[in-house]
Amino acid sequence: MPNPPARLPTTREGMMRRRSEMQAVMAELKNRFVEPILGRFPRILPTKPDSAARYALYAAVVWFFVWILLAATLAIKLVFPEFLHQFAWAGYGRLRQVEMNVLLWGVLFTGGMGAAFAIIPRVVGRQLWSERIGAQLVLLHVQLVLAGTVLLSLGRTQGIDGLEWPWPIDFGLMAVMLGALQVLMTTIMRRPDKPLNPPAKFLIAAFHVLPITYAVANFSAPFTIGVKQTFYSGFGSAGLMLGLSLIGMGATLFALPRATGNPLWSGQVADWTLYLMLFTLPWLGLAQRVLGPAPDWTETLGIAMALAALTPAVFALALVIGTARGGRSDDPAVPFFIGATVLWSAGIAQLAIGALRHPAGILGTTWWNEGTRTALQGAFGLWLIGLVYHLIPRVRGRALRNPALVRAHFWLSVSGVGVAWIAASAAGLIQGYVQSVSAQASGTFVTGEGWNRVYGAVRPMLGIRMAAGGLIVAGVLLFLLNVQRSLAEGHDVEPDVVAPALVGSRG
Amino acid sequence: MRRAERGALPLAMIVGATVLAIAGAGLLGVVLPASDAAVGSEAPGDARKYTRQQVDGRKIYVREGCFTCHTQAVRDTAADMPLGRISAAGLYLNEAPNLIGLDRVGPDLTCAGERMKSRSTTVKFLKRPDSVHKGSAMPRYGFLTAAELNALAAYITGLTCQGAER
């Protein structure tokens, strides 16, 4: 029987074959010529699993220490204005911008990168696409934040609330965010199973939200004038808050089921929380300037969205408490995740209250705003600390040296952040009340020498806030000591690299 | 298969929803308000005009981060009545950055020039605030040069409410 004629390859098959051949040639060239060079720098171009995550988490811890020093200096300067008054770089206005940006970008975004680089490989069951690129992104990011800090200290600011970094830093940060997105997305695309776990969904959303909102705000606001600028800067601030919130929730939904041994309370509630956060939080910039010079309809929109944002806050609380309830309690990181979520929800509620027109008439532009920021940033900080405690044994293979110190750190942090939050919010209530009473009487408190009466009224609260900062500093010192000793002396445990997360539903 | 895994949405859905949410907020919460005539060239109120020295002073105001403690917007609320006329969007038409600010650690400065008329007293205040207002919490700016102090004082004393009403 004659053999059937050989089928000619189709164009697509030919292309695929040529592509495979080309890839084989490239791999051969890479192994022969590029790898020997790159391999000479194992520290800055690492290939071991979790290298990029470790670099980012270490960098976040170091920035955390720097931030604590800056925040403590500012708290002291508020109560004692003469402190370091002779140095231009230590002026309150310059230092305030440095402190805020070190917290947001040095501590929280760096920690967020570490979280994503550690969590995504574990929940999708694939190693990070490129540890080398991830580590390089972390190193670049650290240098950018350092350069930005120096430039802001030298007075090189854009002067726009929330968008203070000089523009070269903005370009660098955009490159880092897009690079991180590329690394994470390529890792996710290579996953063996199609469904995505809730932590992965939150992190994917976060790393899309951050570069988009940052680009829109930072590359538009400097080219706009007047009130228009506030819409762009508000969008940038809200986008950053949303991105960090998504990272925090993603980290919680990853760690909590593992730490407690419980499955996630409800995958559907997790999905709804994600979508509600995405569709309500980007609008909160409009809610920050109620009764200002912007058109009334924009304020109404902001107020409506601030109220709508209460829904994901309640969902997040239910999700975290439902998952943690009745679970194991041997992982000392669990209280940090619960405390962070409670504080975050409270911060969203406080923002909504402050946005309503009547309260805004009294509380707007007062210390109430700082109280809201303290709650939200405190939540981000607790999420990050919980994640570091949870991940150290897993990415480093070293057990935490002293769980009792972790518990002490938790109580110091929660009481420090809690007291600072209440003190700042109370200062806002006092300031608003004094200003309103003054307006109805003689109106002499809100200007010039009369302002000292306002300052005098809130000063005790600022003193309490400074003392609360002392508790936070003490906690951070315990944190650094425990982390350093755990890395150096903690007994070996089995690190988990790409084990799938415990995800399911009780229902 | 567990419910959460069975109901998981594919990657494209997550990315699509994220982009849709951000695009919607950007379009309706940023682009639309920014194109409103009420904040454009037809905005009520007159834009501020500055001399060269005041422009230099404004740069120092930005450089030193004064906007982190002082707002420049009289709000439409009873508590702000003693500050002067309510600030309208037109006031900021020449302002980039706009320096409206969010927090009042110190008093609002929208109409500061109507309270601080003397430039020399303002310079003295900037160098040593408690020598002018006893018990002031404002930090000293004695590290500024004489020219910088003069420019900053010119800017602050030039901030008036003229044309600010809406």
Side-chain angles (χ1 to χ4, degrees), chain B residues 69-154:
Chain B
C69 290
H70 298 282
T71 55
Q72 286 193 30
V74 179
R75 300 159 71 237
D76 188 4
T77 171
D80 278 15
M81 274 172 56
L83 290 172
R85 282 181 288 179
I86 297 163
S87 303
L91 180 71
Y92 306 97
L93 284 178
N94 286 339
E95 310 275 316
N98 63 36
L99 304 179
I100 290 172
L102 280 168
D103 301 319
R104 288 180 192 163
V105 179
D108 180 83
L109 297 181
T110 315
C111 316
E114 294 178 8
R115 305 189 295 267
M116 305 166 77
K117 291 191 168 65
S118 164
R119 204 176 286 186
S120 61
T121 308
T122 306
V123 168
K124 194 177 165 193
F125 177 77
L126 290 168
K127 281 164 84 170
R128 201 184 167 107
D130 56 355
S131 68
V132 177
H133 290 162
K134 198 163 170 51
S136 173
M138 169 134 157
R140 296 179 191 176
Y141 282 84
F143 55 79
L144 295 177
T145 65
E148 286 175 331
L149 283 166
N150 276 322
L152 187 54

Side-chain angles (χ1 to χ4, degrees), chain A residues 68-81 83 367 370 374 415-417 419-424 427 455 458-474:
Chain A
I68 283 291
L69 294 177
L70 291 165
T73 309
L74 280 176
I76 294 169
K77 281 175 83 76
L78 266 178
V79 183
F80 305 105
F83 182 58
W367 279 89
E370 182 62 20
T374 305
S415 44
V417 173
V419 171
W421 167 45
I422 291 166
Y455 175 67
V458 301
R459 198 165 187 245
M461 288 299 138
L462 302 184
I464 293 171
R465 186 170 165 268
M466 186 178 74
L471 294 177
I472 299 171
V473 171

Side-chain angles (χ1 to χ4, degrees), chain A residues 53-209:
Chain A
R54 271 190 291 128
Y55 283 18
L57 291 173
Y58 293 165
V61 170
V62 173
W63 278 119
F64 200 39
F65 185 65
V66 174
W67 171 74
I68 283 291
L69 294 177
L70 291 165
T73 309
L74 280 176
I76 294 169
K77 281 175 83 76
L78 266 178
V79 183
F80 305 105
E82 302 305 306
F83 182 58
L84 295 177
H85 73 90
Q86 59 275 58
F87 303 111
W89 56 267
Y92 188 90
R94 293 193 193 185
L95 217 52
R96 171 76 178 145
Q97 297 172 72
V98 172
E99 180 257 349
M100 187 62 78
N101 284 288
V102 162
L103 175 64
L104 293 173
W105 293 101
V107 182
L108 299 174
F109 179 75
T110 315
M113 269 205 296
F117 289 161
I119 292 171
I120 290 287
R122 285 172 170 76
V123 294
V124 302
R126 275 276 183 271
Q127 201 180 324
L128 197 68
W129 170 58
S130 172
E131 291 287 348
R132 281 175 175 158
I133 294 177
Q136 282 301 302
L137 290 170
V138 174
L139 294 175
L140 174 63
H141 182 67
V142 167
Q143 292 172 59
L144 286 165
V145 177
L146 193 61
T149 299
V150 172
L151 289 170
L152 286 179
S153 303
L154 294 173
R156 302 303 295 262
T157 172
Q158 293 205 73
I160 306 171
D161 287 311
L163 313 177
E164 292 90 357
W165 290 132
W167 64 265
I169 305 296
D170 289 334
F171 278 104
L173 288 178
M174 273 304 296
V176 169
M177 282 187 272
L178 291 173
L181 179 63
Q182 166 73 16
V183 170
L184 294 172
M185 286 302 282
T186 313
T187 308
I188 289 167
M189 301 286 263
R190 296 179 172 195
R191 70 193 187 282
D193 300 322
K194 286 296 167 198
L196 281 170
N197 291 328
K201 293 179 187 176
F202 276 81
L203 292 169
I204 293 164
F207 278 84
H208 278 86
V209 165

Side-chain angles (χ1 to χ4, degrees), chain A residues 306-505:
Chain A
L307 291 173
L310 292 172
T311 318
V314 172
F315 277 27
L317 263 183
L319 199 56
V320 167
I321 292 170
T323 304
R325 197 180 52 202
R328 284 198 324 259
S329 58
D330 52 338
D331 189 330
V334 170
F336 284 94
F337 292 115
I338 298 172
T341 311
V342 170
L343 205 55
W344 181 78
S345 302
I348 295 290
Q350 186 171 356
L351 198 152
I353 292 168
L356 295 171
R357 283 206 171 86
H358 187 69
I362 299 164
L363 300 170
T365 72
T366 69
W367 279 89
W368 181 264
N369 293 342
E370 182 62 20
T372 308
R373 283 193 290 267
T374 305
L376 293 173
Q377 290 164 0
F380 299 144
L382 290 180
W383 267 324
L384 176 63
I385 293 166
L387 192 70
V388 171
Y389 280 136
H390 179 77
L391 282 178
I392 280 179
R394 289 162 176 83
V395 302
R396 198 67 174 86
R398 291 284 168 88
L400 281 173
R401 183 104 167 87
N402 192 341
L405 279 187
V406 182
R407 280 190 285 276
H409 179 200
F410 171 73
W411 286 112
L412 284 169
S413 300
V414 163
S415 44
V417 173
V419 171
W421 167 45
I422 291 166
S425 305
L429 285 166
I430 294 167
Q431 184 180 351
Y433 175 74
V434 172
Q435 288 178 175
S436 299
V437 167
S438 158
Q440 286 162 15
S442 59
T444 53
F445 290 0
V446 287
T447 58
E449 194 154 348
W451 181 264
N452 295 348
R453 299 285 289 273
V454 175
Y455 175 67
V458 301
R459 198 165 187 245
M461 288 299 138
L462 302 184
I464 293 171
R465 186 170 165 268
M466 186 178 74
L471 294 177
I472 299 171
V473 171
V476 169
L477 291 176
L478 290 185
F479 172 64
L480 293 173
L481 178 75
N482 204 9
V483 169
Q484 189 272 331
R485 289 191 65 188
S486 300
L487 292 177
E489 302 165 20
H491 66 263
D492 290 343
V493 293
E494 190 68 32
D496 65 345
V497 180
V498 287
L502 275 164
V503 176
S505 172

